[in-house]
């Protein structure tokens, strides 16, 4: 066995999406920060965010309207206090990003705001259709120039080190050197993002395997609202091709959903038609797809407008033979966002001392039963910044890092040979989740899914005993999260928001 490296920091941030990077930059004023991330710094859900960030930035708009839209989309299952905090702190976060160098879409020094489903006003700050990439670029530039932040790419957190409800650090796999390292820290931050890879049809990058929720659950953290998986209505739908997202801002800027006869249908389902909240649009498409293929049509906006407003989407679709200004875009829903997660208060504190969570991994209560579009990047920033104050206070009150080694040796053994069963189990699990725990659910199918998932779990544990590699660690997490989603779906007996049960 190779030597285990032992490192220590004041703040250990797991994840380099917008939640993790924003926290790291602010916390670096108070101590040494490590960012551990399982691929390159840039690789995250954040990097693929298209639409933008919601904030009240126009005179016609108000905090009251943003609050009400968020609660309505969330079916009033939201924590109203948390939503109020988020909405009120939003404009400050946008100003901060501009100061950090984020190039939002502007004309004459005024932000060009866009619209998405469920919003009663234009309030989405954007960098056209690559908002996430632009924010990541600006934050990573700052991180790379910050002497108090050390970054560890290709480092996969395996488990948290927790004893007696106190977190001391994390066990981490260095994928390049093939070592298992111990990162001790006074404050440990979970910013590991979502888990849509649990589903066969999803529009998340491969990193979104729910590691944070699974690690936190194993450590005894409270997990909440996992049944609320948001399915985005419009992901590309060409058999065998990637299911990448076609932003809701395409509909915000006039795009219309049509069936294969060229007929718009959303008026049958909601007064806001194509801009109804996401859960409603996804279910409507799902219903219509029983009879028809479904398309998104933006052709009426003209070539010049489309190429200028959606340059990324125009180029991406071109590779698949689709010209956005001349062709209909075939779309279908795909798993997109995890509304639930590790439960926290409004300062990112979990029920485990020293462990903080925010961003998509967390459940702050802001989203309720269904997230309002473009509230996610906002949540990452607002609650990440608030967690800096609580984590810093905690760090200052601890006189020294406690070097505690409660790790079992089995967690430190690497197995370089990837068992071929891992791939098969993963595909079966993802397909099962799509079919049985997807957009429309039935108790019988949920029960059947849980039984199969428990069997997968047993098989995964057998493979785990032979040693660790990225593939088995991620599969273990996917399975654990799938079980959490299914159990939560079984426990909620009535349809609400993103959880829809057939009677
Ligand atoms: P992420 O950005 O996903 O970052 C998680 C990080 O944790 C990654 O760096 C990952 O590699 C790392 N990580 C995970 N597990 C481990 C581990 N075990 N060890 C080490 N590192 C780990 N939201 C909006 O508000 N507006 C939008 O326009 C928008 N568009 C979207 C478009 C797409 C295609 C997608 C997929 C999502 C979109 N969302 C949007 C949602 C939003 O992007 C995410 O919810 C948000 O970016 C999550 O940020 P995060 O920092 O919490 O997690
Ligand atoms: C999109 O651009 O459609 C994604 C927006 C979001 O998930 O909030």
């Amino acid at each position: 066995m190779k030597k285990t490296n032992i490192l220590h920091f004041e703040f250990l941030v797991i994840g380099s999406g917008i939640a993790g990077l924003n926290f790291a930059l602010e916390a670096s004023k108070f101590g040494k920060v490590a960012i551990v991330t399982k691929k390159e710094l840039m690789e995250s859900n954040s990097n693929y965010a298209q639409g933008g960030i919601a904030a009240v930035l126009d005179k016609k708009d108000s905090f009251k309207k943003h609050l009400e839209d968020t609660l309505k989309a969330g079916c009033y299952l939201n924590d109203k206090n948390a939503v109020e905090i988020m909405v009120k702190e939003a404009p400050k976060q946008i100003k901060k990003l501009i100061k950090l160098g984020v190039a939002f879409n502007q004309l004459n020094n005024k932000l060009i705001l866009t619209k998405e489903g469920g919003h009663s006003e234009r309030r989405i700050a954007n960098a056209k259709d690559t908002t996430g990439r632009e924010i990541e670029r600006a934050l990573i530039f700052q991180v790379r120039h910050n002497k108090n932040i050390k970054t560890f790419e290709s480092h996969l957190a395996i488990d948290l080190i927790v004893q007696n409800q106190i977190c001391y650090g994390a066990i981490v796999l260095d994928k390049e050197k093939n070592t298992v390292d111990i990162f001790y820290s006074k404050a440990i931050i979970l910013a590991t993002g979502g888990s849509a890879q649990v589903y066969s049809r999803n529009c998340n990058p491969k990193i979104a395997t729910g590691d944070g929720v699974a690690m936190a659950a194993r450590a005894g953290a409270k997990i909440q609202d996992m049944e609320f998986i948001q399915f985005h209505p419009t992901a590309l739908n060409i058999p065998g091709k990637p299911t990448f997202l076609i932003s809701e801002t395409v509909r915000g800027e006039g795009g219309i959903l049509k069936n294969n006869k060229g007929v718009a249908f959303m008026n049958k389902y909601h007064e806001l038609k194509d801009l109804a909240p996401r859960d409603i649009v996804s279910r409507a498409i799902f219903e219509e797809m029983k009879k028809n293929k479904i398309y998104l049509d933006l052709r009426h906006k003209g070539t010049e407008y489309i190429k200028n407003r959606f340059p990324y989407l125009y180029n991406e679709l071109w590779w698949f033979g689709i010209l956005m200004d001349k062709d209909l875009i075939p779309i279908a829903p795909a798993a997109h966002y995890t509304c639930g997660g590790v439960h926290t208060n409004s300062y990112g504190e979990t029920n485990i001392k020293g462990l903080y969570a925010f961003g998509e991994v967390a459940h702050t209560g802001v989203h309720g039963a269904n997230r309002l579009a473009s509230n996610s990047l906002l949540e990452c920033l607002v609650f990440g910044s608030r967690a800096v104050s609580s984590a810093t206070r905690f760090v200052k009150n601890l006189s020294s890092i406690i070097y505690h080694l409660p790790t079992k040796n089995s967690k430190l053994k690497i197995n370089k040979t990837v068992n071929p069963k891992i791939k098969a189990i993963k595909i079966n699990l993802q397909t099962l989740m799509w079919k049985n725990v997807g957009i429309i659910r039935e108790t019988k199918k949920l029960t059947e899914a849980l039984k199969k998932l428990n069997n997968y779990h047993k098989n995964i544990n057998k493979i785990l005993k032979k040693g660790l590699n990225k593939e088995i660690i991620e599969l273990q997490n996917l399975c654990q999260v799938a079980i959490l989603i299914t159990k939560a779906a079984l426990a909620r007996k009535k349809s609400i928001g993103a959880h829809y049960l057939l009677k």
Side-chain angles (χ1 to χ4, degrees), residues 15-16 19 37-38 43 45-46 49 51-52 157 204 211 337 360 374 376-377:
S16 59
T37 191
K38 66 179 173 178
E43 190 57 2
N45 273 5
S46 299
N204 282 192
D211 300 359
Y337 183 82
E360 193 168 339
S374 285
S376 170
L377 297 178

Side-chain angles (χ1 to χ4, degrees), residues 13-21 35-54 116 124-125 128 131-132 136 152 154-159 171-173 190-194 196 202-205 207-212 215 230 232 243-249 278 312 335-338 358-362 367 371-380 473-474 477:
V13 179
I14 309 176
S16 59
I18 287 172
L21 296 171
I35 301 178
V36 160
T37 191
K38 66 179 173 178
K39 282 189 89 181
E40 305 81 36
L41 272 187
M42 197 81 174
E43 190 57 2
S44 57
N45 273 5
S46 299
N47 193 40
Y48 297 91
Q50 294 180 17
I53 312 186
E116 284 181 90
I124 296 156
K128 297 193 175 170
T131 309
E136 282 272 313
F152 297 84
S154 295
H155 278 64
L156 171 77
I158 304 166
D159 257 317
I171 308 170
V172 176
L173 172 70
L190 277 179
T192 47
N202 73 75
C203 55
N204 282 192
I207 51 98
T209 50
D211 300 359
M215 283 190 284
Q230 181 170 74
H232 196 291
T243 47
F244 73 84
L245 188 87
I246 316 289
S247 175
E248 195 155 306
T249 54
R278 243 171 230 180
Y312 165 77
H336 176 63
Y337 183 82
T338 315
F358 41 83
E360 193 168 339
V361 69
H367 306 309
R371 175 176 67 94
L372 182 70
S374 285
N375 266 352
S376 170
L377 297 178
L378 178 59
E379 183 194 24
C380 292
I473 294 165
E474 288 187 342
N477 294 335

Side-chain angles (χ1 to χ4, degrees), residues 27-143:
S28 67
K29 294 171 200 150
F30 307 100
K32 294 265 177 226
V33 183
I35 301 178
V36 160
T37 191
K38 66 179 173 178
K39 282 189 89 181
E40 305 81 36
L41 272 187
M42 197 81 174
E43 190 57 2
S44 57
N45 273 5
S46 299
N47 193 40
Y48 297 91
Q50 294 180 17
I53 312 186
V56 173
L57 297 160
D58 187 273
K59 276 190 216 122
K60 273 203 304 188
D61 202 1
S62 67
F63 291 143
K64 200 168 163 227
K65 284 187 195 171
H66 190 179
L67 173 87
E68 187 51 33
D69 291 348
T70 303
L71 296 178
K72 212 170 175 180
C75 304
Y76 298 89
L77 217 68
N78 325 54
D79 176 336
K80 193 175 170 196
N81 180 44
V83 181
E84 234 155 26
I85 291 170
M86 180 178 77
V87 159
K88 287 187 178 156
E89 293 191 12
K92 275 184 259 164
Q93 289 290 343
I94 302 289
K95 280 183 198 139
K96 182 183 84 182
L97 290 180
I98 294 173
K99 253 190 165 169
L100 285 176
V102 174
F104 283 115
N105 194 11
Q106 300 195 21
L107 186 68
N108 301 329
N109 276 333
K110 205 170 174 278
L111 293 173
I112 303 175
L113 303 173
T114 187
K115 207 171 177 190
E116 284 181 90
H119 287 274
S120 57
E121 293 291 345
R122 283 191 166 258
R123 65 166 71 95
I124 296 156
N126 61 87
K128 297 193 175 170
D129 52 357
T130 48
T131 309
R133 192 200 292 171
E134 171 55 15
I135 302 174
E136 282 272 313
R137 182 201 60 74
L139 294 178
I140 288 174
F141 181 85
Q142 300 288 338
V143 162

